[in-house]
Amino acid sequence: MELKRVVVTGLGAITPIGNTTKETWENALSGVSGAAPITHFDASLFKTQFACEVKGYNSAEHFDRKELRKYDLYAQYGVVAAKEAIADSGLETLETLDRNRVGVIIAAGIGGLHTFEEEAGYYALNKENGPKYNPFFIPKMIADMAAGHVSMIYGYRGPNFATVSACASSTNALIDAFNYIRLGQADAIVTGGAEAAIYPAGVGGFNSMHALSTRNDDPEHASRPFSGSRDGFVMGEGGACLVFEELEHALARGAHIYAEVAGGGLSADAYHLTATHPEGLGAKLVMNNALADAGMKPEDIDYINVHGTSTPVGDRSEVKAIQDVFGEHAYKLNISSTKSMTGHLLGATGALEAIFCVKAVTDDVVPPTINHVDGDNDPEIDYNLNFTFGKAQKRTVNAALSNTFGFGGHNASIIVKKYK
């Protein structure tokens, strides 16, 4: 069976550094930090009191009051991103669209944490009177509901589900979408991720694991991947979606094509509940798997958007894996961690970083890794590599690879390239 080619025809994002794809990309190229004191709740008693929240978001601009009763914030972000991506793709106004062959695969690593927290808290306060729960509790909480809402809004009846693999979730969603289309089971799929976990249970839970930065005196510069003084990741939130489409279907309707999806890889560390393998074994395997799936060589890659969360062990192991996979070519690559600006969007991070890779390929520019200060080095990291510190760099980007690694040892990588 000849596999079909898959292209990207729509982009949508709502993030800590922009409420649209355009604003997010412009701020990423400018090196804007999305980190600031938490406003979603009173975090004054928490070890970490800051995060990368979405800013200036007004739910009333996107949903009516009746609809909002059914939406956790994470699902709102997913739908907002999906609507932008669908409008950008032109599918929204395509009268001949076969909606039976359009799917929606939108991931979440956690789902409706805020809804769960509210309902559990209500029961704890009122348990002597017996259980009483909101009838929308379960549908608001479950991690597949962003995908469900999008399918219902647009009548898309193709493959419809969510993937959950912690911080690799939305890259898994993208790879699933890619595979369904190239196998001929769908003409187009709206795919991505959404997350909104900046609430007491989310921040407190990650604090208890010592996973978050506690740089409360300087949140703007707290996410500092590959720096010697890094002390944990900064939690982010938001949504990011792409429209993946079968090439001939896109050409037949005259769609704008951003890039081609070249391949994807999956692997497991099989090592630890939360830590990456110190030698990067799973990371090496997943990048090699992605390259093999794309039929590409290491030297075909120009840019890697790394997982790069700003954790001590994770950053080191990913660098080791890159050096092992790419050899001497590793020193000709651009590498950057956009989490230095957006924070870590958990289940939505892979989709957002795939958008950054698409834009890098389209615009021939690499977004920076911010917050590194000269001399703030980790002796176990080779700074002869080009981490794109400080400023965006113009260069030809024919192909870009995005890495995402999740708790539980889940690894996913996807490659996009210029459409020719």
Side-chain angles (χ1 to χ4, degrees):
M1 176 182 176
E2 184 178 352
L3 296 176
K4 298 180 181 296
R5 294 172 66 184
V6 181
V7 293
V8 181
T9 58
L11 304 173
I14 177 167
T15 77
I17 60 170
N19 287 10
T20 63
T21 301
K22 182 176 185 293
E23 184 181 14
T24 296
W25 179 238
E26 288 174 351
N27 283 331
L29 293 183
S30 298
V32 172
S33 170
I38 290 170
T39 65
H40 287 339
F41 69 97
D42 180 4
S44 59
L45 298 179
F46 285 71
K47 293 179 183 177
T48 296
Q49 299 166 11
F50 61 93
C52 288
E53 296 177 334
V54 170
K55 299 162 188 67
Y57 173 70
N58 182 358
S59 59
E61 295 177 0
H62 302 278
F63 307 93
D64 64 34
R65 286 182 61 188
K66 187 176 180 180
E67 284 181 308
L68 274 174
R69 294 185 301 160
K70 307 172 186 176
Y71 281 83
D72 185 88
L73 184 60
Y74 99 90
Q76 293 179 44
Y77 289 156
V79 169
V80 169
K83 285 184 173 180
E84 183 190 358
I86 292 165
D88 184 42
S89 73
L91 289 179
E92 188 175 28
T93 57
L94 185 63
E95 293 182 2
T96 59
L97 185 67
D98 183 352
R99 295 172 191 268
N100 292 335
R101 291 186 55 80
V102 180
V104 185
I105 307 174
I106 299 177
I110 298 175
L113 183 64
H114 185 221
T115 295
F116 183 84
E117 192 174 66
E118 282 188 323
E119 292 292 322
Y122 179 83
Y123 176 65
L125 291 172
N126 298 279
K127 59 184 177 182
E128 68 277 2
N129 298 318
K132 184 179 180 182
Y133 288 93
N134 186 322
F136 294 115
F137 169 35
I138 298 300
K140 285 176 69 176
M141 176 197 71
I142 52 181
D144 67 311
M145 201 47 68
H149 280 302
V150 173
S151 72
M152 288 182 275
I153 291 167
Y154 292 94
Y156 294 159
R157 293 180 288 272
N160 182 257
F161 58 91
T163 54
V164 179
S165 52
C167 304
S169 295
S170 55
T171 304
N172 272 115
L174 269 57
I175 292 170
D176 277 2
F178 172 55
N179 284 329
Y180 276 109
I181 295 170
R182 67 174 172 171
L183 289 171
Q185 297 181 21
D187 294 330
I189 295 180
V190 183
T191 184
E195 204 79 270
I198 304 174
Y199 290 101
V203 175
F206 281 115
N207 267 157
S208 69
M209 296 162 51
H210 306 287
L212 297 181
S213 171
T214 56
R215 200 178 293 273
N216 294 313
D217 59 339
D218 187 20
E220 183 180 353
H221 303 100
S223 183
R224 47 181 65 196
F226 310 113
S227 294
S229 61
R230 65 191 185 280
D231 68 330
F233 74 83
V234 178
M235 193 182 297
E237 64 174 2
C241 285
L242 305 88
V243 174
F244 282 6
E245 191 167 351
E246 193 272 321
L247 175 60
E248 296 303 321
H249 188 272
L251 292 175
R253 67 182 186 88
H256 170 71
I257 294 173
Y258 284 100
E260 182 169 359
V261 185
L266 304 170
S267 78
D269 277 4
Y271 170 72
H272 189 273
L273 194 66
T274 58
T276 57
H277 192 285
E279 297 301 318
L281 296 186
K284 286 188 281 190
L285 181 59
V286 77
M287 287 187 280
N288 279 323
N289 288 345
L291 288 165
D293 188 52
M296 299 173 76
K297 300 175 183 177
E299 54 267 31
D300 294 328
I301 303 297
D302 300 301
Y303 167 49
I304 302 176
N305 187 297
V306 292
H307 190 57
T309 57
S310 189
T311 58
V313 175
D315 288 8
R316 288 177 193 147
S317 63
E318 188 170 11
V319 170
K320 289 178 182 177
I322 289 169
Q323 290 176 301
D324 284 348
V325 171
F326 290 90
E328 286 303 311
H329 184 65
Y331 298 91
K332 300 175 184 178
L333 292 164
N334 272 76
I335 297 166
S336 74
S337 172
T338 46
K339 288 184 182 72
S340 59
M341 298 173 282
T342 66
H344 190 353
L345 274 65
L346 308 177
T349 203
L352 176 58
E353 289 160 10
I355 289 175
F356 288 146
C357 285
V358 168
K359 292 295 290 180
V361 164
T362 302
D363 297 356
D364 285 323
V365 61
V366 174
T369 305
I370 66 169
N371 296 333
H372 179 74
V373 177
D374 286 346
D376 183 14
N377 291 349
D378 180 336
E380 295 188 40
I381 289 178
D382 183 351
Y383 292 92
N384 292 310
L385 295 167
N386 184 357
F387 290 104
T388 323
F389 284 135
K391 294 182 179 180
Q393 293 180 13
K394 292 288 291 182
R395 67 164 292 166
T396 300
V397 183
N398 288 311
L401 180 150
S402 174
N403 283 336
T404 46
F405 312 139
F407 284 174
H410 313 294
N411 305 311
S413 297
I414 193 165
I415 299 172
V416 295
K417 64 182 182 180
K418 288 188 186 299
Y419 164 67
K420 296 180 181 178

